[in-house]
C-alpha cells in the first residue's frame, strides 16, 4: 500500500521518528522530579522546555483547574495541599496538535494521628507464659511506607512489621506481637513505635510516633535455695532462702505441727523439718534435716552419745 508515493510502513516509521526526534529536542523537564509533601503543606513544582522550543506548556492537575502558558516554564503551586490522590501532569501542545506529557512523582503523607499499645491480659503476668501485645496505628498515609516495631525496654521484641495496606488515603491498622515472659521482665516497659520510611526525598529523620508505656508486673516462684542436710552452730542462722514475686508465704512443720522457723536455732531445734512455700505461680514442699553443733563444732547428737558413754563407764567403775 502506498500513500503519495510512500509505502505505509515507511510513512508510519517516518512520522514516529519525527515525533520522537521532536520530543528529544524539546524534552519536558519537571523540577523537582519527585516530591514528598505532608498533607496540608504548601507545594510547588516547575515544568520547563528548552527556549528553542515553540509549544504551549500546561499543568493538568486533578486537584484543580488546568493551567496553560506559552512561556518556556510554568510553575504549579498550591498553598495547602489537601488532596490525597493528586497526580500533577505537565504537558506540551504544539501548533500542529502534537501532545507530550510527563507526570510529577508526588507522595502525600501523614504521620499517625495516634499510636497506642494494648495487652491481651489484665493483671500481673506469669513467668514462662506467652502473651500478645497489639499496636494500634490510627490514620496514617501512605500505609505501604509504614513500619511498626515492638519494644521491651530498649530491646526490640521482633523485626519491624510492615503494613498490609496499599492506600494513598489514611488507614488505621492493628499490629500484633507475641512474647514469652521471664522474671527479668518484672518492671520492664513495653511500647511500640510507628515509622514512615519515605525515602531520601522525605523528611529526615523519618517521622516516628511512639505509644504510651505499659509497665509489666511478672509473678514467679517460689524458688528455694536450701541444703537438704544442714549443720549449724548454736545461734547461727540457717542457710535457707525462699524467693518469689510476690513474696511467698512460708510455713515450717515439725512432726506435722506448725512451728516457728528456726532462724537462730539452739540444740532443741535439731531434727527434721518440712518447709512449705506458697507463691502466685506454684507451691513447693521441702524436707530438710537440721543438726545443731556446739561451740566446739560437735553436734548435740554426738555430745549426747559421749555423755551417755561416760555415764556408763562411771556406773561400771562404781560396781
Amino acid at each position: 500500500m502506498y500513500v503519495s508515493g510512500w509505502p505505509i510502513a515507511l510513512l508510519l516509521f517516518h512520522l514516529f521518528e519525527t515525533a520522537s526526534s521532536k520530543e528529544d529536542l524539546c524534552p519536558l523537564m519537571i523540577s523537582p522530579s519527585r516530591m514528598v509533601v505532608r498533607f496540608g503543606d504548601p507545594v510547588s513544582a516547575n515544568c520547563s522546555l528548552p527556549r528553542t522550543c515553540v509549544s504551549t506548556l500546561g499543568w493538568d492537575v486533578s486537584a484543580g483547574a488546568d493551567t496553560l502558558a506559552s512561556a518556556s516554564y510554568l510553575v504549579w503551586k498550591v498553598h495547602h495541599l489537601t488532596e490525597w490522590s493528586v497526580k500533577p501532569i505537565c504537558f506540551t501542545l504544539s501548533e500542529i496538535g502534537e501532545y507530550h506529557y510527563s507526570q510529577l512523582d508526588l507522595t502525600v503523607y501523614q504521620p499517625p494521628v495516634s499510636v497506642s499499645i494494648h495487652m491481651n491480659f489484665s493483671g500481673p503476668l506469669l513467668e514462662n507464659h506467652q502473651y500478645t501485645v497489639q499496636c494500634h496505628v490510627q490514620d496514617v498515609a501512605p500505609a505501604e511506607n509504614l513500619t511498626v516495631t515492638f519494644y521491651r525496654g530498649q530491646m526490640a521484641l521482633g523485626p519491624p512489621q510492615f503494613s498490609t495496606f496499599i492506600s494513598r488515603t489514611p488507614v488505621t491498622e492493628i499490629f500484633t506481637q507475641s512474647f514469652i515472659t521471664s522474671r527479668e521482665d518484672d518492671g520492664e516497659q513495653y511500647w511500640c513505635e510507628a515509622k514512615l520510611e519515605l525515602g531520601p526525598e522525605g523528611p529526615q529523620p523519618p517521622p516516628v510516633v511512639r505509644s504510651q508505656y505499659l509497665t509489666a508486673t511478672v509473678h514467679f516462684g517460689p524458688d528455694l535455695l536450701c541444703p537438704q542436710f544442714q549443720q549449724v552452730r548454736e545461734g547461727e542462722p540457717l542457710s535457707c532462702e525462699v524467693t518469689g514475686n510476690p513474696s511467698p508465704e512460708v510455713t515450717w512443720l515439725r512432726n506435722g505441727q506448725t512451728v516457728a522457723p528456726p532462724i537462730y536455732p539452739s540444740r532443741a531445734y535439731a531434727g527434721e523439718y518440712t518447709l512449705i512455700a506458697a507463691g502466685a505461680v506454684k507451691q513447693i514442699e521441702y524436707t530438710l534435716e537440721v543438726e545443731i553443733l556446739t561451740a566446739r563444732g560437735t553436734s548435740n547428737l554426738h555430745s549426747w552419745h559421749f555423755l551417755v558413754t561416760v555415764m556408763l563407764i562411771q556406773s561400771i567403775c562404781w560396781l
Side-chain angles (χ1 to χ4, degrees):
M1 182 181 295
Y2 291 83
V3 177
S4 301
W6 285 78
I8 187 64
L10 287 176
L11 178 62
L12 292 173
F13 177 78
H14 175 72
L15 292 174
F16 175 78
E17 186 179 27
T18 303
S20 300
S21 61
K22 287 184 178 180
E23 187 175 356
D24 292 338
L25 294 174
C26 297
L28 276 172
M29 293 176 290
I30 298 180
S31 179
S33 60
R34 184 175 188 272
M35 299 185 70
V36 178
V37 181
R38 183 166 181 159
F39 184 80
D41 281 359
V43 60
S44 64
N46 180 43
C47 183
S48 62
L49 283 170
R51 294 183 179 276
T52 55
C53 298
V54 180
S55 294
T56 299
L57 269 177
W59 279 100
D60 181 3
V61 185
S62 59
D66 300 347
T67 57
L68 294 171
S70 58
S72 60
Y73 71 92
L74 180 62
V75 176
W76 170 65
K77 186 175 183 180
V78 177
H79 295 290
H80 302 285
L81 184 59
T82 56
E83 294 286 341
W84 293 105
S85 300
V86 60
K87 298 179 180 180
I89 294 176
C90 179
F91 65 90
T92 61
L93 188 62
S94 68
E95 295 178 349
I96 60 174
E98 291 179 338
Y99 177 84
H100 301 288
Y101 72 92
S102 181
Q103 180 175 322
L104 170 63
D105 186 358
L106 176 63
T107 298
V108 183
Y109 77 93
Q110 175 178 282
V113 172
S114 68
V115 175
S116 58
I117 189 169
H118 306 270
M119 191 169 290
N120 69 334
F121 187 82
S122 60
L125 310 180
L126 301 180
E127 183 184 27
N128 296 324
H129 282 62
Q130 180 171 297
Y131 297 93
T132 300
V133 285
Q134 292 182 336
C135 191
H136 293 218
V137 182
Q138 182 179 354
D139 292 336
V140 60
E144 56 264 34
N145 295 90
L146 175 67
T147 60
V148 169
T149 306
F150 290 83
Y151 290 90
R152 175 170 49 206
Q154 298 303 311
M155 297 293 293
L157 284 174
Q161 300 183 25
F162 299 90
S163 173
T164 57
F165 287 97
I166 299 178
S167 174
R168 287 179 173 266
T169 58
V171 299
T172 296
E173 191 169 1
I174 298 176
F175 297 81
T176 302
Q177 177 72 56
S178 297
F179 65 97
I180 296 177
T181 55
S182 68
R183 64 187 57 192
E184 288 77 18
D185 298 334
D186 186 51
E188 284 282 10
Q189 292 182 320
Y190 291 80
W191 53 284
C192 61
E193 72 171 18
K195 180 186 294 186
L196 273 181
E197 301 277 4
L198 297 164
E201 293 83 5
Q204 301 298 328
V208 173
V209 180
R210 293 181 175 180
S211 71
Q212 82 281 17
Y213 294 96
L214 289 180
T215 302
T217 299
V218 180
H219 283 178
F220 59 87
D223 293 325
L224 185 62
L225 183 61
C226 189
Q228 193 171 11
F229 178 78
Q230 294 194 46
Q231 288 182 328
V232 295
R233 288 186 172 86
E234 289 182 284
E236 293 184 353
L238 293 175
S239 58
C240 200
E241 181 181 2
V242 183
T243 59
N245 185 36
S247 296
E249 181 179 342
V250 179
T251 304
W252 288 79
L253 300 177
R254 188 178 186 186
N255 300 324
Q257 301 295 319
T258 302
V259 295
I263 300 176
Y264 297 100
S266 63
R267 285 184 293 177
Y269 283 88
E272 184 179 276
Y273 290 86
T274 298
L275 186 154
I276 300 175
V281 180
K282 61 183 178 179
Q283 175 175 299
I284 59 174
E285 292 189 12
Y286 187 76
T287 301
L288 66 153
E289 182 78 21
V290 178
E291 185 177 359
I292 309 301
L293 304 178
T294 63
R296 295 181 180 179
T298 59
S299 68
N300 62 326
L301 183 61
H302 294 163
S303 299
W304 173 253
H305 290 165
F306 177 76
L307 180 60
V308 170
T309 302
V310 170
M311 292 176 66
L312 288 173
I313 294 174
Q314 290 178 347
S315 299
I316 292 172
C317 292
W318 289 341
L319 293 176

